[in-house]
Amino acid sequence: MATGSLRIIRHGEPDYEGARRAAVWRRNVPDRYPAAIAQAHSATQVAEAVAVARREGLPISAYSGGHGWTSAHLRDGAMLIDVSRLRDCRIDAATRTAWVGPGLKGRELNDRLAVQGLMAPTGHHDTVACGGFLLCGGFGWNFRQWGNGCANVVEVEVVTAAGDILRASATQHSDWFFAARGGGAGFFGVITGFRVRAYPRPAVMRANTYVFDLNDLEPVLDWLLTAGPEMPAYAELLAAASSYAPDGGWAPSRLVVSALSFSNTEAEAEAVSAVFRRCPLADRAVLSRINLPTTLEERYALSTAADPPGHRYAADNLYLSADGARHAMPRIAELFRTMPTPRSHVFWLYQGKSPLGEDMALSAWGEIYVAAYAIWDHAADDAAMESWATSGIGALSPWSQGAQMNDEAMFLRPDRYLSEHAEHRLRTLSRTHDPDGLFLGFLTRESAAAEMPR
Ligand SMILES: Cc1cc2nc3c(=O)[nH]c(=O)nc-3n(C[C@H](O)[C@H](O)[C@H](O)COP(=O)(O)OP(=O)(O)OC[C@H]3O[C@@H](n4cnc5c(N)ncnc54)[C@H](O)[C@@H]3O)c2cc1C
């Protein structure tokens, strides 16, 4: 739905720097300068912007909500196509699907679905947009039961390098459909809409929490490796360390273990709590809350308090097998115990066995997910903070089973974000459907070095 005309802001024009900064959610906006930023309101306007870029010989990148941790869309000399204004949300309760624009926030989608008694596995933070979340794979609410965000995409609308607008699904333009589900910045078009599945909203949401002293980390993570496979699929099981207290204060570093259940009955919720109650270290917990009623609103508020806007961020991640996580325990412990600022945090997430059977680019997986997020305020600390995240995660790389595209840091530390087969297919499709290499693709040290500032 177009609500304005296409606006192209050139480098040097008065509104340029505001538009460039708006493309990055975090405060540490990289020093990379597109030649022009095209603000589109519709797929047709995106096609117009692609035509302008082609005419002027500018390579293209696109963004939806700007949460990507390395901002692969911010590229020197490019035409940056901003689709954050494409925010359609049309719900079809009969088929339990929703048509969403890439700029729509996951929270907005879930607020709209709630009215129909539905819910979708969007990102855990208020402001993450559907565009990048779904294109990169997406670990959303109840992901173990409902699958990754992109596994719930049934159709996409794409503007191609030729300026065509097409619809892709499992049965038409299936190459594009493969690439749009997990291809991330390697996608060779601009996505202007997604049709996604929704689910009946779980009737009983419960939170189970233990808080331990960080000294108990190793035995607690050991227990989680046993508890994970016992946990019903409708529970998100994670351990996180942070010394930030939600009331705004600072606490000594603690290990918070949480199992959030999305169930339909009390008995189902109790099955999750039962695994928690069997924790042999329960009496060492400094706080314990079992089977507490909670709401999606409350969970969004907690996630947003943990990752508030207005700060500088660096993130890195990788997947491990359960065995790998056991072997890497001393290095994981080191990561948890060396968080560089009170707000920084580390995640250890139980993902379970790979559900990735479908024909989609999303293809890296490990039973355990570990991610490090540095959060700080002063530019002088940028290098040290990035280095903590990437060297701490890098220390686990001997056991790496790949890395997750949503938290990608490939510009800072290479890892395998796609299976070899999926990466080969994505690159081959990119050459076929974008033969002139108009779309810039992944941002790595090598690609950045090749892109000369214009
Ligand atoms: C505070 C915070 C919380 C987060 N929580 C979660 C979470 O719970 N689960 C999870 O899985 N991830 C999470 N993430 C990671 C997030 O999902 C990814 O950064 C995702 O890419 C964000 O989508 P976006 O549209 O906002 O980002 P963008 O930065 O706009 O997109 C990321 C990249 O995707 C490409 N792209 C984006 N839109 C398009 C498009 N329409 N067409 C073509 N290419 C496009 C570009 O290369 C862009 O650089 C979180 C990130 C932050 C900052």
Side-chain angles (χ1 to χ4, degrees):
M1 177 179 37
T3 53
S5 45
L6 176 70
R7 182 171 182 214
I8 297 183
I9 306 170
R10 307 283 172 169
H11 193 180
E13 288 180 3
D15 291 341
Y16 173 87
E17 188 55 12
R20 191 183 77 89
R21 289 190 168 268
V24 178
W25 173 83
R26 60 190 194 284
R27 183 65 70 82
N28 43 329
V29 179
D31 286 334
R32 298 191 296 264
Y33 294 84
I37 301 174
Q39 297 175 335
H41 297 83
S42 65
T44 314
Q45 290 180 8
V46 170
E48 270 179 58
V50 168
V52 173
R54 188 176 275 288
R55 226 173 20 245
E56 297 184 5
L58 300 177
I60 298 175
S61 63
Y63 88 95
S64 299
H67 289 68
W69 295 108
T70 53
S71 311
H73 51 278
L74 203 62
R75 306 289 268 263
D76 283 325
M79 167 73 83
L80 170 58
I81 302 183
D82 166 3
V83 293
S84 63
R85 290 163 187 76
L86 274 69
R87 296 167 74 134
D88 272 2
C89 182
R90 296 195 300 271
I91 296 166
D92 182 346
T95 58
R96 282 197 204 133
T97 59
W99 180 262
V100 299
L104 188 76
K105 311 290 182 201
R107 168 79 192 258
E108 291 170 333
L109 172 59
N110 267 325
D111 285 350
R112 298 280 295 274
L113 286 170
V115 178
Q116 312 271 359
L118 298 171
M119 184 175 160
T122 62
H124 296 78
H125 194 278
D126 268 352
T127 59
V128 170
C130 291
F133 173 80
L134 294 170
L135 174 61
C136 295
F139 276 79
W141 301 111
N142 201 13
F143 71 90
R144 284 181 58 219
Q145 187 174 52
W146 290 342
N148 286 75
C150 74
N152 288 288
V153 173
V154 292
E155 188 183 12
V156 288
E157 182 182 74
V158 177
V159 177
T160 70
D164 298 326
I165 301 173
L166 57 81
R167 292 279 179 118
S169 67
T171 52
Q172 59 174 348
H173 300 299
S174 54
D175 284 353
W176 293 85
F177 192 55
F178 161 85
R181 296 192 304 156
F187 189 70
F188 37 85
V190 183
I191 301 187
T192 48
F194 300 82
R195 185 174 306 285
V196 295
R197 272 187 221 113
Y199 296 85
R201 207 172 166 86
V204 182
M205 255 185 91
R206 290 292 153 82
N208 299 275
T209 311
Y210 284 131
V211 178
F212 293 98
D213 190 289
L214 211 46
N215 288 325
D216 288 328
L217 179 100
E218 287 88 343
V220 171
L221 292 190
D222 242 351
W223 165 64
L224 285 175
L225 286 168
T226 320
E230 296 170 6
M231 212 28 114
Y234 51 84
E236 291 180 8
L237 178 63
L238 73 87
S242 167
S243 39
Y244 175 68
D247 63 3
W250 307 108
S253 288
R254 295 278 197 232
L255 181 66
V256 180
V257 177
S258 134
L260 179 62
S261 67
F262 298 85
S263 33
N264 287 310
T265 63
E266 294 293 336
E268 283 176 358
E270 179 49 38
V272 171
S273 303
V275 178
F276 236 61
R277 286 200 179 89
R278 290 199 292 274
C279 174
L281 299 141
D283 60 349
R284 294 189 60 81
V286 295
L287 184 143
S288 142
R289 299 267 187 275
I290 310 283
N291 211 14
L292 223 62
T294 186
T295 60
L296 198 56
E297 291 64 36
E298 192 173 64
R299 305 326 289 183
Y300 273 126
L302 284 170
S303 303
T304 302
D307 287 325
H311 298 278
R312 307 175 87 81
Y313 282 76
D316 196 2
N317 81 90
L318 53 61
Y319 294 124
L320 302 165
S321 67
D323 259 2
R326 270 188 201 96
H327 285 113
M329 185 75 83
R331 297 185 190 183
I332 296 175
E334 166 92 2
L335 187 61
F336 272 85
R337 293 195 173 111
T338 56
M339 287 182 304
T341 65
R343 270 187 203 273
S344 299
H345 45 95
V346 177
F347 267 178
W348 184 109
L349 178 70
Y350 179 75
Q351 301 202 117
K353 301 289 178 213
S354 167
L356 306 177
E358 292 188 59
D359 186 24
M360 54 189 182
L362 179 73
S363 47
W365 193 266
E367 197 169 346
I368 310 299
Y369 176 67
V370 182
Y373 307 87
I375 309 178
W376 72 102
D377 288 313
H378 302 295
D381 298 328
D382 286 2
M385 294 293 147
E386 285 176 357
S387 165
W388 169 75
T390 54
S391 60
I393 292 291
L396 312 179
S397 59
W399 301 278
S400 174
Q401 301 221 314
Q404 194 221 107
M405 194 78 83
N406 287 76
D407 283 349
E408 69 94 356
M410 63 181 83
F411 180 68
L412 299 172
R413 188 187 66 81
D415 206 323
R416 179 154 283 293
Y417 283 86
L418 299 166
S419 71
E420 215 166 308
H421 173 72
E423 185 169 344
H424 176 73
R425 184 167 173 204
L426 188 69
R427 290 193 189 280
T428 306
L429 291 176
S430 181
R431 282 193 295 273
T432 306
H433 295 295
D434 178 17
D436 302 324
L438 212 55
F439 284 89
L440 279 161
F442 293 118
L443 176 67
T444 60
R445 290 271 179 212
E446 296 72 41
S447 67
E451 285 156 30
M452 299 303 290
R454 295 175 193 219

